[in-house]
Amino acid sequence: MLKRLKEDDELALDPETVRILVAAFDDAWKSVEDSGVTFVSDGHADATREILALRVIDMARQGERDVHRLRDDALLYLTKSNLKSTGL
């Protein structure tokens, strides 16, 4: 997550906002892990983390700063992206 934030030249964030975004990402990833999902490879786990991180950053660009809404939105986005990839 922090790597992605450092790579984003357009998004200038104060330390408190960075803390919020990292917390939202960490909470979202913990929810994925706690769900019992198993990944077929480390690459799939990394891709899932990337989807969550990019979504949290995208929502921050739109002005969202609530850690719970950021987490919930990232998880919803992940679910929708997984459904689209299965053709549902």
Side-chain angles (χ1 to χ4, degrees), residues 14-46:
D14 61 273
E16 177 61 17
T17 301
V18 171
R19 187 196 64 73
I20 290 168
L21 300 185
V22 169
F25 168 79
D26 288 344
D27 288 353
W29 181 244
K30 184 173 180 346
S31 291
V32 171
E33 290 182 314
D34 290 350
S35 75
V37 67
T38 55
F39 297 99
V40 295
S41 70
D42 288 342
H44 283 93
D46 291 343

Side-chain angles (χ1 to χ4, degrees), residues 50-86:
E50 183 85 357
I51 289 168
L52 292 172
L54 291 173
R55 184 58 181 187
V56 168
I57 292 168
D58 185 47
M59 293 306 294
R61 278 193 191 108
Q62 296 178 45
E64 184 59 66
R65 295 297 187 268
D66 181 270
V67 69
H68 301 294
R69 284 193 296 262
L70 287 164
R71 178 204 59 213
D72 293 348
D73 180 79
L75 291 169
L76 181 60
Y77 185 81
L78 177 65
T79 301
K80 288 180 178 179
S81 68
N82 284 340
L83 287 175
K84 287 180 184 175
S85 70
T86 63

